Amino acid sequence: MEARAIQRTVRQSARKMRLVVDLIRGRAVPEAYAILRYSKKLAAKHIHKVLKSAVANAQQAAQRQNAAFDADGLRVKYAVVNEGPTLKRFTSAALGRATPILKRTSHVEIHVEAATPAPKPAAAPAPPPAPEARPAPKAKAKAKEPAKAAAKGATKQAKKAAKAGATRRKEGK
């Protein structure tokens, strides 16, 4: 069961509210209540109200469906703070000018759902194939032999040039 609650145009900036919402996202509802209760941020009071409303909405949905309800078994599934409309005000400044003041607002949305126990893992994975089915390591060794034959046929000058190039790469030049 899932329920949600939204509070619109809260008179606090979304940036400040997100700091608190990030603390409760994905947690159990009793734990989220405890975090919000002992937080020093003003945003915690607004978010606590929204969380309490979401839990009440879940309880009402359970009553409508005639289902069992346990508030302690809920968890915060989705919690987000979006920017709301900005109130634009002006204050006086030096030399008869005016400077703008932006009073920011935000929208808080929280979804709660019943915490389900973790699903049990399926049957054990299949064992690796038998050793006979694997390719023989000798096939890899045969692939390297033509490269050795080409190196034997190279001249002394080519070997010196290859050796000098390898040392330059090691030194980073």
Side-chain angles (χ1 to χ4, degrees):
M1 176 177 314
E2 184 176 333
R4 71 180 184 141
I6 301 173
Q7 184 179 13
R8 298 192 186 276
T9 61
V10 178
R11 268 293 292 123
Q12 191 166 21
S13 70
R15 186 174 178 180
K16 292 177 183 178
M17 304 255 318
R18 284 186 191 118
L19 295 173
V20 179
V21 166
D22 291 342
L23 296 174
I24 66 164
R25 191 177 293 121
R27 298 192 185 258
V29 169
E31 187 179 356
Y33 279 146
I35 290 169
L36 294 173
R37 182 171 179 191
Y38 295 108
S39 176
K40 293 181 179 181
K41 304 268 187 191
L42 177 68
K45 289 182 181 180
H46 295 294
I47 293 168
H48 187 274
K49 281 174 61 174
V50 179
L51 180 61
K52 192 173 176 182
S53 178
V55 170
N57 291 344
Q59 182 179 6
Q60 290 297 313
Q63 280 183 349
R64 271 186 252 118
Q65 295 175 358
N66 200 18
F69 178 74
D70 180 24
D72 294 339
L74 296 176
R75 69 175 185 88
V76 179
K77 176 185 175 186
Y78 177 81
V80 68
V81 177
N82 296 318
E83 291 183 11
T86 301
L87 305 174
K88 295 177 176 81
R89 304 291 182 259
F90 292 92
T91 187
S92 57
L95 300 174
R97 287 179 287 131
T99 56
I101 296 176
L102 302 178
K103 296 189 175 190
R104 301 188 185 274
T105 63
S106 55
H107 304 314
V108 182
E109 183 175 0
I110 296 178
H111 293 225
V112 294
E113 72 171 357
T116 56
K120 294 182 180 178
E132 296 82 36
R134 293 184 183 161
K138 294 178 183 178
K140 291 180 183 178
K142 289 180 183 178
K144 293 180 182 178
E145 290 176 5
K148 288 181 182 178
K152 287 182 182 177
T155 62
K156 290 183 180 180
Q157 292 176 346
K159 288 181 182 178
K160 285 182 182 179
K163 196 174 191 181
T167 56
R168 284 189 192 133
R169 279 186 233 121
K170 287 180 184 176
E171 294 172 2
K173 293 182 181 178

